Structures are given as structure tokens and as C-alpha cells.
Amino acid sequence: MLRYPVTGLADRAIELAAEARARLEQRSAAIAVHFDVDVMDSAEIPLADWPHYDALSFGEAMRCLRAFTTSPKLAALVVTEINPDHDPEGLWIRQFVDAFSDALRPVAAPVA
């Protein structure tokens, strides 16, 4: 199984996300994406159950997600690990939901 550990992404996260997407599209009829907020740096957006530092920036994570949501083979998307206890005022969650919904625009039904 091919893996892309966050510690090995350096400044190539978006490029490697596109590479992973292309490899999946070649080998699969459908793609399921599991997006865990642990991939984002907790110093920037502290929503994960367990803090992770030196991870992807919030912006990088959303751009990587968009690499998959633009795939015509995207069939499923799962989001995990958002802990609302880490954001009692809901400010970070709102920011996440706004950016996440923007990343989903490619799969949204066209407005008539």
C-alpha cells in the first residue's frame, strides 16, 4: 500500500496529493477519501483530538483536499477527529467548515 506520511511531504504536499490522485484514478473505478483533521498543524487550527505539530498548514490541507474533490472518480468523503471541546466558541470550526465547503465546490450540484 502506497503511503504519504505527513512528515515526508515538506513543501510538496499539493504536488504529492495530485500524484496520489492520479495513481488512484489509474487503478480504481471510484475513490474514497478519509480526511482526518490530525493532518493539520494544531498550532494553527487546534481541532484534533490529539495535537499534532509540524503537520500541514490549514491552507495546504484544504488545497490537498481539493486535489481529490476535483476527481471525477470521487465517490465518498469522510471527515474525522474534529473535537468541539477544543473550540468552545466555535471559531475554528466555522473556519474549517467554510474552507471545507469551498473545497467541496467541485462536487456540488450546479445551481439552476
Side-chain angles (χ1 to χ4, degrees):
M1 182 167 154
L2 187 60
R3 299 179 306 143
Y4 294 87
V6 71
T7 54
L9 298 179
D11 293 331
R12 299 180 52 220
I14 294 118
E15 173 189 340
L16 292 172
E19 176 186 303
R21 171 193 160 170
R23 294 181 105 163
L24 287 168
E25 286 176 339
Q26 289 172 355
R27 297 178 170 130
S28 306
I31 297 172
V33 175
H34 175 98
F35 186 91
D36 193 323
V37 301
D38 284 350
V39 75
M40 298 184 298
D41 195 316
S42 295
E44 183 181 359
I45 188 157
L47 293 176
D49 252 347
W50 297 98
H52 296 275
Y53 302 101
D54 296 324
L56 292 179
S57 72
F58 180 58
E60 283 178 314
M62 292 299 111
R63 287 188 294 279
C64 287
L65 177 61
R66 188 176 276 267
F68 292 97
T69 61
T70 55
S71 173
K73 292 190 174 186
L74 180 69
L77 177 61
V78 177
V79 182
T80 61
E81 287 282 336
I82 293 178
N83 188 333
D85 292 341
H86 295 176
D87 186 21
E89 295 179 17
L91 301 174
W92 297 114
I93 291 172
R94 268 189 220 102
Q95 182 181 357
F96 177 81
V97 168
D98 288 347
F100 196 82
S101 60
D102 187 53
L104 290 175
R105 285 191 199 284
V107 296
V111 178

